[in-house]
Amino acid sequence: RIARNGLIWGPDHWHENYPMAKGDKQSPIEINSKDVQHDSSLGPWHASYDPGAAKTILNNGRTCRVVFDDTFDRSVLRGGPLTGAYRLRQLHLHWGSSDDHGSEHVIDGVKYAAELHMVHWNPKHGNFAGALKQPDGVAVVGIFLKVSGKYSRILQGIDNIKTKGKEAPFQHFDPSILFPKSRDYWTYHGSFTTPPCEECITWILLREPIEVSPDQMAKLRSLSKNGENEPVNPLVDNWRPLQPVKGRVVRSSFK
Ligand SMILES: NS(=O)(=O)c1ccco1
Ligand SMILES: [Zn+2]
């Protein structure tokens, strides 16, 4: 089999094409509360998102992604560990083949059914590609999903993007409805969890998970890695295994 973009041969081979994947600041990591350092200088983060910035929802064969207009400061994240306003570019999810796993980050041994990432970049670096080369280039808000009773709209959009390459309009959507009540978060410096795994991310992981229903998880698991006219290949387990912490300190905004 040819090893295209490293995803064919799995995470342990990514470094053969993308050396950064073996760096000292890789993500995801396990967060052990006993090693976390509360930092009282960490203030609250603030998202001001324009629902009109939402554009499309797509299945790229590896995740389902909602794309936003990031040509100006239209939907921005600021505060917390960040300096300046970071522009929301896209959100996507990682999930498992069953509810007992699927998240990328693991908290005190707990794996969540899924993990939602809201990817923002720092416009002081000109464009997204430039931001990837900077340690303060990107900020990703991670939200854990646990299975229970409620509903959310992203998963409604999934009906139109069952197979790889499908894209559908996804407009008038304010992603801040996805935030849990509490703003408590952990933060650490890490990387993209997919190749090339650039180490440019300030991770902001929200302590309180949001709830999704069993049929919502079933919808996510009904996506296919393959295109429309190919055999269904369930899109599941699109999470990267844990990476070495290598002496990094995770800070918390809460005690
Ligand atoms: N999973 S993640 O947020 O690190 C990401 C965004 C784009 C590629 O990988
Ligand atoms: Zn992600």
Side-chain angles (χ1 to χ4, degrees):
R1 282 179 297 168
I2 47 166
R4 253 176 308 110
N5 68 18
L7 296 182
I8 298 286
W9 277 10
D12 291 343
H13 293 273
W14 289 353
H15 70 92
E16 291 155 23
N17 294 333
Y18 303 100
M20 287 182 277
K22 260 196 180 322
D24 292 348
K25 295 187 172 70
Q26 289 292 293
S27 295
I29 59 171
E30 169 145 27
I31 292 183
N32 294 303
S33 298
K34 64 179 177 15
D35 301 331
V36 166
Q37 290 188 14
H38 168 61
D39 180 342
S40 52
S41 73
L42 281 171
W45 49 274
H46 298 283
S48 45
Y49 293 153
D50 171 357
K55 293 194 301 189
T56 60
I57 186 167
L58 84 129
N59 171 348
N60 65 8
R62 299 192 310 277
T63 186
C64 96
R65 177 185 289 175
V66 175
V67 177
F68 299 85
D69 166 26
D70 63 351
T71 56
F72 64 100
D73 279 0
R74 189 170 184 185
S75 291
V76 295
L77 177 76
R78 52 168 62 92
L82 306 175
T83 302
Y86 284 59
R87 281 185 201 164
L88 175 65
R89 179 176 177 86
Q90 52 106 324
L91 68 79
H92 62 271
L93 296 105
H94 305 264
W95 60 92
S97 45
S98 57
D99 294 353
D100 61 350
H101 70 284
S103 63
E104 297 208 297
H105 292 87
V106 177
I107 309 294
D108 295 328
V110 175
K111 294 179 182 175
Y112 287 94
E115 183 172 334
L116 187 148
H117 289 155
M118 295 183 177
V119 182
H120 311 70
W121 57 281
N122 191 338
K124 88 180 191 188
H125 298 306
N127 55 36
F128 185 65
L132 300 183
K133 304 184 181 82
Q134 307 297 330
D136 66 345
V138 176
V140 179
V141 174
I143 304 176
F144 296 110
L145 277 62
K146 71 176 192 180
V147 180
S148 89
K150 299 176 202 145
Y151 203 78
S152 73
R153 196 183 133 199
I154 292 177
L155 296 143
Q156 272 169 330
I158 277 174
D159 292 335
N160 316 321
I161 57 162
K162 287 285 183 201
T163 51
K164 179 180 177 182
K166 292 213 93 173
E167 188 166 17
F170 195 84
Q171 295 163 306
H172 318 298
F173 169 65
D174 175 358
S176 45
I177 62 168
L178 296 167
F179 293 140
K181 280 190 311 304
S182 168
R183 294 191 167 282
D184 287 350
Y185 62 90
W186 294 280
T187 184
Y188 78 97
H189 196 269
S191 74
F192 280 117
T193 63
T194 58
C197 302
E198 297 90 341
E199 296 182 341
C200 59
I201 298 190
T202 301
W203 282 94
I204 299 172
L205 300 171
L206 304 192
R207 180 196 200 182
E208 182 186 337
I210 61 171
E211 297 181 353
V212 288
S213 63
D215 70 317
Q216 286 176 304
M217 286 311 300
K219 263 188 198 285
L220 271 178
R221 298 182 184 122
S222 70
L223 290 173
S224 177
K225 285 179 185 165
N226 288 344
E228 202 163 10
N229 304 311
E230 297 168 339
V232 172
N233 181 357
L235 208 185
V236 291
D237 291 322
N238 56 356
W239 46 276
R240 186 190 189 185
L242 292 174
Q243 300 301 308
V245 174
K246 298 249 177 155
R248 285 174 285 177
V249 172
V250 176
R251 293 178 293 155
S252 65
S253 68
F254 59 93
K255 280 212 168 82

